Amino acid sequence: CESNPLMPFSSPQICSSDTLSDDVEVTLPISNFADDLSLRIQMASNFDHGIDCASHNADWSLCYSQLFVFEYAGNEAYTDNNFAIYFSSIHRLLHVDHPDFEHGHVVGDLTYIKPTASFKGFEPSSEIILPVVFEYWSVQESDKMPRFFVVDSRDDSTAVIPNTDTEDLHDFVIPYTSSMKTEGDNNVPMTAENRYTRNEKLSEGFETDTSTRIIPTPFRVDISETAQSFGIVGVSLINADLLGKLQSGAEELVSTITMKTASDRDHVLILTIGTLPNDIAGTESYTMEITAEGTTITASHEEGLFYGVMSFLGLLDTSSSRSTMPVKEMTIYDKPRFDYRGHQIDSARNFRTKESVMQTIDAMALYKLNNLHFGLSNDEGWRLEIPGMEELTTVGSRRCFDLSEETCILTQLGSGPDASDEPQFYSVADFVEILKYAAARNVKVAPEFNMPGHARAAVVSMEARAKKKRDNSYRLMDPEDETELLTVQFYDRSSIINPCLDSSVRFVVKLVDEVVKMYAEAQLGLDVWQFGGDEAKNILLGAGYSAYDLPKELPFSKSPACIKKMQEDPTISIDTDAANYWALKVNQILAQKGIREMMAWEDGLNGMMKEEFEIAEVTVNFWSTLFWGGTDVLVEASKTGFGVIMANPDYLYFDFPYEVHPEERGYYWGTRENSVAKVFSFAPENLPQNAETSVDRDGNAMDITTPDWPAPVIKGMQGQTWSETVRTEAQHQEMTYPRVLAVAERAWHRGSWELDWTPTQNYHGTTNHVPKDQLATDFKGFNTVLGCREVRKIWQRLGIAYRVPPPGAMIEGGILIANTELPCTRIQYSLDRGMNWSEYFTPVDVGVGKYVSLKSLSADGGLESRVVNVDQEECLSCQGVCESNPLMPFSSPQVCVAGSTLQFPPPVPSKQPTSPPLASVTNTVSDSNEINSLFKNPVGNEFFCGDTFSSVAETCLVSKPCPNGLSGVCTDDNRQNQGCFKVSQCAAEYEAAGATSTEAYNTQQGRCRICGEEQVHSENTVFFEGEEFLCREFDGVFNEGGKGADSPSCTLARELYTDTCCIKSDGSNSAPAPSPTIFDGGEYPTLWIMNTSGAVTKCSLTVALACAMMTSFFLMWF
């Protein structure tokens, strides 16, 4: 028995023996199969798809269709059906419309597709297209999670499909072409053109002097008419010991922001403790008098002194190219709007490193956010080491493919089959370090351990402990419970802690004890506990599923432990209000441990009152959307006696897109966009007012009447960066910044344009109660400081890679005009599909019909936006109508129609499509200029390779070398995959061939096509201009009947390709058959194209080749 040296290390053994049976099947590792697979996902339709969604038990009969295209590149057929393809899907997979495949759901978003008994395998170099149906709708490409993986059902070995092992979703997701989720969706998708118009409105009147504005805006600023500006090199703190526990944090931030040594700190900040004016008196308040001789900061508490220092740092332009930083004389009187100014990090769904958390704390301190809501547990992960319950991190922090879940919890959210090599949790030492770091920057950390719902990582970890150690001390699931349910994110009963078990109570006691010890080690008290409490329910009880025969069971309704407890105490209704029951249990434990405040998500305490709780203070995070009756819910919350923190999804969720565009990341159940401007314009103390300045999630105006009730008291507000679609640190930073600075602005400062809560006042998109001119002026000042000073600061000093918004642009008469949402952001444009970029300063003449790409950059060029493209007005060398192909991505090339000639710019080079495209047709081509025109060669370069032009062959061919130099580049089939040619030589070959009407020139493949008696250099379909027939490669059958077989074109095709047939252009015979193929006549006859299923599609010739090329373009896009 020997290992095959040509196989991977993980290969099975291959035995050689005279007695080895001939019929022993040798199975190769699943990785071999996976390596030969690739996947493309193509969005089909959210509606008007003709699918009976109700027949698939879709919520509210809503579903959408997509195509999963699996390409197999193996040289031999793969007929083994002992595999399944697993993937994460945030929407339930309802149906696979293919007889050879079935689907299943494991838990959460983990879903699989596997072959049925009828599966015959993958033929060599083939593809299988699976039409699939999912619940609801999909308008963001980030709905599709990466890392699809193949599992061998015999041994559960796994391998990721290579092109899905990526964070560039376009590696396997074909760009979406529509952002409409329903027919009633009135959201306006962003294009370069309408973004330009929006930016123009936002930027009109941008402030140019940012020297006196701070983010967040102070309560009052006095600037004398005789105030002078002066320059400073650095800052030194006098009486820094008055900062107490905040001294180290303040000094470190001063050093980080100014980047100066002690000897360079020429400007002094003199700190004093004193009495403040009555109108600003408070713990975090301060005054600051800035003069050229020095700055004096006065406060009654160390917190006020700290924020005075942060405000001075906020005035500094650290990106100045001058040797000094400009400051102006002024006096500031400042106090916070809310005592609670927060930010939430979801480290449970996808882990954020200790360094990332500290980076966030630095930013929070700079912009006066004082509460970190730290999400440490959820269904998808447990992130804090708890001594004595090690399984929480040895199992609960790891995600992998282990169906027993004894070594990890099952993979979710596109994390793939293998657990990370790096620890995905905070050790006790890590957490203590974070607590100390935050405390030194006046940031309180409230740990969230979500329960009873969203607790699967904890539940599974304790199940693993029970199995391995036979220890049920902290077990969280009743092993005899047979309740069937489905949670919001598609988990079963293992997602909810059973509140009836004594072991569940012991778990919480142990957890609280250990966390209290960590705070004590950091020399802090644990003042606040975030309970979570949300979404502990069975969604199948919802009205959208009422017509279906699905499990409609209440949580724990079949748990013997809960049945017994309810029998013992009839006043308990655990099955209907598990969260409420568990909230009181946890509250009792917290009160016993001396914890002052309990926080929870609003729905976790529905129907409860403050008087029911033993703890001193109870606060809810309010997360009802405005358009779903949020104002009424807020009023009810205010009646409970709970404190209220505004955490509104439709304004304050940073896992939502910045704008309406499929390439933007995030969920969108609450809104389609949360732009910086929208977050800035949020009025937290007058929720109805926001109906006048924003739209609902479908892009429609809202109509909100203020309830006839006193204004709810708002304790504070916070932004949330949930992380379901946020897998990397770079994605986390891009989604959080700069939006979090707008939250800091609103939490600290009330805008002059914010109106008081006025009972019975109505707000609508057409009302004019809000002084929008004041709002616009305020935002322009904020946005100028944000773009010209603050984002540079967080990038260059804190290393936070903020989101650079894509530019807006238009082309008018060949003149490119562009703008940006964020001032002081650079813009570049390209006329050759991103190969070369030019700086944009003022409107520039790019010429008519050019394909223009644009991007924005940070001031130093270190960060870039995504690339956007401007629609062309006309096409080069095209006299006819120019249209965008609606079936192509926003960045698609234009399709020009002029007479019977279609011209396409060269595509991005990619894998050769398995279904060859039609060749485009030209008339006589006799010189290199004409070929240059066809290929959109803008400057007449001599050499071309793939999508690259050059005047020097070596430059052109550096990445795609053609063998044997350039000799015969147009006629040597060995070079056709490289797509290299010399344009003048192509012209010469055309002339030598006589340049007849039976020539075809294929710009898709980047090489010459000469269709004559000598040669046809194409394995692709060719349409011969002037002939009556369309010759098509199809299923190895040749149409021998009638005139079709005798046409010169088909005769030639038959001689060269035995698998070619002619199909009927009038569609009367929709499959290959011995009958003539006849166009229906006319100067612009109808063109019929047969697809691989034998169906025939009709389209007018004005878009005929556009239709024909559609499939090719989609394939070649990738």
Side-chain angles (χ1 to χ4, degrees):
C1 250
E2 299 178 354
S3 294
N4 183 342
L6 298 177
M7 295 298 294
F9 294 113
S10 57
S11 67
Q13 298 294 304
I14 298 178
C15 296
S16 299
S17 171
D18 293 338
T19 60
L20 188 62
S21 172
D22 291 337
D23 60 0
V24 172
E25 180 180 351
V26 177
T27 303
L28 299 179
I30 200 69
S31 60
N32 290 36
F33 174 48
D35 286 346
D36 283 333
L37 275 183
S38 63
L39 168 67
R40 299 191 315 277
I41 299 176
Q42 179 179 325
M43 182 65 195
S45 178
N46 284 317
F47 55 92
D48 283 346
H49 40 50
I51 299 170
D52 182 4
C53 302
S55 68
H56 301 302
N57 297 334
D59 190 12
W60 294 112
S61 299
L62 295 169
C63 67
Y64 67 93
S65 58
Q66 290 187 325
L67 295 179
F68 281 10
V69 182
F70 290 99
E71 290 188 13
Y72 174 67
N75 295 324
E76 297 181 359
Y78 189 88
T79 58
D80 187 351
N81 66 356
N82 291 295
F83 71 90
I85 298 173
Y86 284 76
F87 57 98
S88 292
S89 177
I90 67 169
H91 301 129
R92 288 199 305 145
L93 177 58
L94 304 178
H95 180 60
V96 177
D97 191 13
H98 196 293
D100 294 345
F101 287 87
E102 59 187 356
H103 72 282
H105 173 244
V106 184
V107 70
D109 68 19
L110 188 57
T111 306
Y112 65 83
I113 293 171
K114 69 177 183 179
T116 62
S118 63
F119 176 70
K120 303 301 183 185
F122 283 90
E123 294 297 321
S125 300
S126 64
E127 69 179 25
I128 292 179
I129 301 176
L130 302 183
V132 291
V133 179
F134 291 94
E135 195 169 37
Y136 302 120
W137 42 65
S138 180
V139 295
Q140 305 299 139
E141 292 164 4
S142 59
D143 288 349
K144 303 296 108 176
M145 297 285 179
R147 283 170 276 281
F148 283 58
F149 59 97
V150 185
V151 176
D152 190 321
S153 58
R154 290 165 293 229
D155 59 5
D156 285 347
S157 59
T158 64
V160 177
I161 297 176
N163 76 312
T164 70
D165 191 8
T166 179
E167 287 302 327
D168 183 351
L169 297 181
H170 284 174
D171 286 346
F172 68 98
V173 179
I174 293 175
Y176 283 21
T177 61
S178 172
S179 61
M180 289 188 66
K181 63 186 183 67
T182 65
E183 292 178 289
D185 187 349
N186 290 314
N187 286 288
V188 178
M190 283 292 104
T191 63
E193 290 80 4
N194 58 29
R195 190 182 298 109
Y196 177 89
T197 302
R198 184 198 62 184
N199 291 346
E200 196 171 34
K201 293 179 180 178
L202 289 175
S203 63
E204 185 179 2
F206 269 155
E207 292 185 8
T208 56
D209 181 10
T210 62
S211 63
T212 61
R213 180 147 185 173
I214 303 170
I215 295 177
T217 302
F219 179 71
R220 186 170 69 251
V221 178
D222 291 343
I223 303 176
S224 168
E225 292 183 359
T226 60
Q228 301 295 312
S229 294
F230 56 95
I232 69 171
V233 175
V235 176
S236 60
L237 301 180
I238 307 299
N239 303 327
D241 59 310
L242 293 177
L243 287 162
K245 67 180 184 297
L246 302 176
Q247 180 178 352
S248 64
E251 290 177 340
E252 288 170 10
L253 285 168
V254 167
S255 178
T256 298
I257 298 303
T258 63
M259 296 185 69
K260 301 297 180 182
T261 63
S263 61
D264 293 327
R265 297 173 183 175
D266 60 332
H267 189 82
V268 296
L269 301 186
I270 304 169
L271 310 183
T272 65
I273 294 292
T275 302
L276 297 175
N278 290 335
D279 63 340
I280 65 166
T283 301
E284 296 179 314
S285 304
Y286 66 93
T287 63
M288 180 163 60
E289 184 179 2
I290 302 174
T291 68
E293 291 72 30
T295 294
T296 301
I297 300 173
T298 303
S300 59
H301 294 78
E302 59 192 37
E303 292 86 353
L305 292 177
F306 180 84
Y307 284 138
V309 174
M310 295 305 104
S311 286
F312 190 86
L313 295 179
L315 284 169
L316 300 182
D317 183 358
T318 59
S319 63
S320 175
S321 59
R322 292 175 287 181
S323 59
T324 61
M325 294 175 285
V327 181
K328 193 169 188 176
E329 295 178 331
M330 69 185 79
T331 301
I332 295 175
Y333 304 86
D334 204 6
K335 68 174 182 178
R337 175 186 195 172
F338 297 128
D339 290 338
Y340 184 102
R341 306 176 302 281
H343 179 64
Q344 179 256 21
I345 295 177
D346 174 16
S347 197
R349 264 60 177 263
N350 280 301
F351 183 64
R352 302 278 76 84
T353 65
K354 178 184 69 174
E355 292 74 21
S356 172
V357 175
M358 290 178 169
Q359 196 177 48
T360 296
I361 291 169
D362 277 340
M364 292 177 66
L366 276 175
Y367 301 104
K368 304 185 179 72
L369 296 172
N370 62 358
N371 281 270
L372 174 62
H373 177 162
F374 201 1
L376 293 168
S377 77
N378 218 291
D379 292 313
E380 297 82 8
W382 183 282
R383 304 302 182 188
L384 181 61
E385 176 189 12
I386 304 298
M389 295 193 292
E390 290 77 12
E391 292 79 9
L392 288 171
T393 47
T394 59
V395 176
S397 75
R398 304 176 74 248
R399 293 204 293 254
C400 70
F401 187 74
D402 174 6
L403 292 173
S404 72
E405 297 195 293
E406 294 183 10
T407 63
C408 63
I409 59 175
L410 277 168
T411 180
Q412 300 286 315
L413 302 175
S415 58
D418 302 316
S420 171
D421 293 333
E422 298 295 324
Q424 299 288 291
F425 66 93
Y426 309 105
S427 67
V428 171
D430 290 336
F431 190 64
V432 170
E433 186 178 355
I434 289 170
L435 293 177
K436 290 180 177 180
Y437 196 85
R441 289 155 176 77
N442 199 44
V443 174
K444 298 176 182 178
V445 178
E448 177 180 357
F449 301 97
N450 209 334
M451 55 182 66
H454 288 297
R456 191 171 189 277
V459 173
V460 171
S461 297
M462 293 301 97
E463 285 298 293
R465 179 189 184 98
K467 292 177 186 177
K468 288 189 230 178
K469 298 181 178 179
R470 300 184 183 278
D471 180 0
N472 295 327
S473 302
Y474 304 122
R475 202 168 190 178
L476 303 175
M477 187 166 66
D478 183 351
E480 299 180 27
D481 186 3
E482 297 180 352
T483 306
E484 293 186 53
L485 56 83
L486 192 69
T487 69
V488 172
Q489 292 177 328
F490 315 137
Y491 293 99
D492 55 20
R493 63 180 177 274
S494 65
S495 172
I496 308 176
I497 292 175
N498 190 306
C500 306
L501 303 175
D502 292 339
S503 53
S504 296
V505 176
R506 282 193 295 272
F507 175 88
V508 176
V509 171
K510 173 68 172 174
L511 173 63
V512 175
D513 282 343
E514 295 300 329
V515 176
V516 167
K517 290 178 185 177
M518 295 178 206
Y519 275 75
E521 186 177 343
Q523 298 181 330
L524 298 168
L526 176 53
D527 296 328
V528 182
W529 185 275
Q530 179 36 279
F531 165 73
D534 60 312
E535 298 182 329
K537 62 183 180 181
N538 180 6
I539 64 170
L540 299 180
L541 293 168
Y545 295 104
S546 60
Y548 309 140
D549 184 18
L550 296 170
K552 307 290 178 64
E553 299 173 359
L554 292 165
F556 313 114
S557 57
K558 292 183 178 179
S559 164
C562 286
I563 293 172
K564 179 182 178 181
K565 190 170 286 291
M566 287 186 286
Q567 289 172 345
E568 293 172 349
D569 185 353
T571 64
I572 298 175
S573 300
I574 297 169
D575 53 358
T576 57
D577 50 86
N580 291 2
Y581 175 82
W582 192 239
L584 292 176
K585 279 289 184 185
V586 172
N587 164 72
Q588 292 170 359
I589 296 169
L590 298 178
Q592 293 166 7
K593 303 299 179 181
I595 296 172
R596 179 181 57 82
E597 181 179 4
M598 175 177 170
M599 299 177 70
W601 294 101
E602 146 219 330
D603 58 319
L605 304 185
N606 272 348
M608 306 184 78
M609 300 293 290
K610 170 63 176 64
E611 292 76 19
E612 301 177 60
F613 291 80
E614 296 180 21
I615 205 165
E617 190 173 350
V618 180
T619 301
V620 295
N621 294 97
F622 180 80
W623 66 291
S624 291
T625 58
L626 179 58
F627 67 90
W628 265 335
T631 301
D632 294 330
V633 177
L634 178 62
V635 167
E636 293 304 310
S638 71
K639 298 176 182 178
T640 62
F642 302 146
V644 176
I645 294 171
M646 303 301 278
N648 308 57
D650 35 349
Y651 301 91
L652 302 175
Y653 272 27
F654 299 159
D655 63 319
F656 287 0
Y658 277 89
E659 67 176 20
V660 182
H661 191 285
E663 291 184 31
E664 292 288 329
R665 182 177 303 279
Y667 283 177
Y668 44 91
W669 57 266
T671 183
R672 294 294 297 281
E673 67 161 337
N674 273 339
S675 64
V676 173
K678 184 181 178 185
V679 177
F680 178 90
S681 68
F682 178 58
E685 294 181 280
N686 185 14
L687 194 57
Q689 170 181 330
N690 299 288
E692 187 174 307
T693 57
S694 58
V695 295
D696 68 13
R697 73 170 182 180
D698 290 328
N700 299 315
M702 292 179 278
D703 190 341
I704 306 293
T705 298
T706 308
D708 191 7
W709 189 261
V713 176
I714 305 302
K715 180 177 180 177
M717 63 185 287
Q718 71 177 30
Q720 285 72 216
T721 307
W722 298 104
S723 66
E724 286 96 329
T725 67
V726 181
R727 291 174 289 275
T728 69
E729 299 297 343
Q731 292 167 2
H732 172 76
Q733 292 178 357
E734 184 178 76
M735 296 298 282
T736 304
Y737 304 93
R739 288 189 282 201
V740 70
L741 274 70
V743 171
E745 174 74 11
R746 286 283 67 78
W748 184 271
H749 176 76
R750 174 170 170 159
S752 63
W753 43 268
E754 293 187 60
L755 306 177
D756 291 335
W757 176 283
T758 304
T760 73
Q761 178 71 64
N762 176 261
Y763 294 91
H764 185 271
T766 59
T767 57
N768 288 296
H769 304 304
V770 180
K772 298 182 184 65
D773 55 343
Q774 294 181 34
L775 171 57
T777 299
D778 194 15
F779 177 72
K780 288 167 186 173
F782 168 86
N783 205 32
T784 303
V785 176
L786 181 68
C788 296
R789 198 172 66 211
E790 296 311 307
V791 292
R792 299 185 186 190
K793 194 176 293 178
I794 64 173
W795 165 233
Q796 295 173 348
R797 296 297 189 262
L798 300 184
I800 292 172
Y802 67 93
R803 175 188 185 258
V804 180
M810 300 177 69
I811 298 177
E812 297 179 345
I815 304 298
L816 171 69
I817 53 175
N819 61 14
T820 178
E821 171 188 331
L822 201 58
C824 299
T825 299
R826 294 163 53 190
I827 300 174
Q828 291 183 349
Y829 67 96
S830 172
L831 303 181
D832 55 11
R833 298 176 171 270
M835 293 170 55
N836 297 284
W837 292 91
S838 301
E839 205 77 15
Y840 176 89
F841 299 105
T842 58
V844 59
D845 188 349
V846 296
V848 175
K850 292 293 179 63
Y851 185 85
V852 183
S853 304
L854 299 101
K855 62 183 178 182
S856 302
L857 300 90
S858 60
D860 66 355
L863 301 175
E864 296 184 357
S865 73
R866 56 183 169 83
V867 175
V868 299
N869 299 286
V870 187
D871 285 343
Q872 302 175 78
E873 294 179 313
E874 298 179 50
C875 290
L876 190 64
S877 302
C878 178
Q879 303 301 317
V881 179
C882 208
E883 300 176 355
S884 293
N885 184 344
L887 299 175
M888 294 297 294
F890 294 120
S891 57
S892 66
Q894 298 293 305
V895 178
C896 292
V897 181
S900 60
T901 301
L902 291 182
Q903 301 169 5
F904 289 85
V908 176
S910 62
K911 181 181 177 181
Q912 183 86 1
T914 54
S915 297
L918 289 172
S920 60
V921 181
T922 71
N923 294 318
T924 299
V925 179
S926 58
D927 59 58
S928 60
N929 290 333
E930 203 162 346
I931 294 182
N932 286 338
S933 175
L934 285 170
F935 275 87
K936 303 289 189 289
N937 186 355
V939 292
N941 288 310
E942 179 68 350
F943 304 109
F944 175 80
C945 183
D947 64 346
T948 304
F949 290 97
S950 176
S951 60
V952 181
E954 289 75 17
T955 301
C956 176
L957 307 177
V958 64
S959 61
K960 301 181 182 73
C962 290
N964 303 322
L966 289 171
S967 175
V969 289
C970 291
T971 60
D972 188 339
D973 285 341
N974 291 328
R975 299 183 182 83
Q976 62 186 14
N977 288 334
Q978 279 74 42
C980 303
F981 68 86
K982 193 174 181 181
V983 290
S984 61
Q985 186 167 351
C986 284
E989 293 197 12
Y990 265 69
E991 293 174 352
T996 65
S997 63
T998 58
E999 296 172 2
Y1001 186 87
N1002 188 344
T1003 61
Q1004 282 290 299
Q1005 301 303 316
R1007 56 186 182 272
C1008 301
R1009 301 289 195 206
I1010 299 184
C1011 304
E1013 295 182 358
E1014 297 89 354
Q1015 53 194 355
V1016 176
H1017 290 293
S1018 174
E1019 69 278 27
N1020 300 325
T1021 303
V1022 179
F1023 168 66
F1024 295 89
E1025 183 177 322
E1027 295 287 347
E1028 294 180 325
F1029 305 96
L1030 174 68
C1031 295
R1032 175 68 195 248
E1033 179 179 330
F1034 183 80
D1035 284 355
V1037 179
F1038 182 73
N1039 184 350
E1040 294 287 354
K1043 185 179 178 181
D1046 297 327
S1047 75
S1049 300
C1050 288
T1051 300
L1052 176 62
R1054 181 183 59 188
E1055 292 172 355
L1056 294 168
Y1057 304 102
T1058 58
D1059 56 351
T1060 302
C1061 70
C1062 295
I1063 64 170
K1064 293 191 68 174
S1065 62
D1066 64 2
S1068 62
N1069 190 353
S1070 62
S1075 57
T1077 307
I1078 304 173
F1079 279 123
D1080 56 5
E1083 183 180 1
Y1084 303 109
T1086 301
L1087 178 65
W1088 290 86
I1089 299 162
M1090 178 181 291
N1091 61 31
T1092 54
S1093 63
V1096 173
T1097 304
K1098 181 176 182 178
C1099 46
S1100 66
L1101 192 60
T1102 55
V1103 291
L1105 290 184
C1107 295
M1109 299 297 286
M1110 179 184 69
T1111 301
S1112 169
F1113 257 89
F1114 274 129
L1115 295 175
M1116 294 197 66
W1117 196 267
F1118 292 91

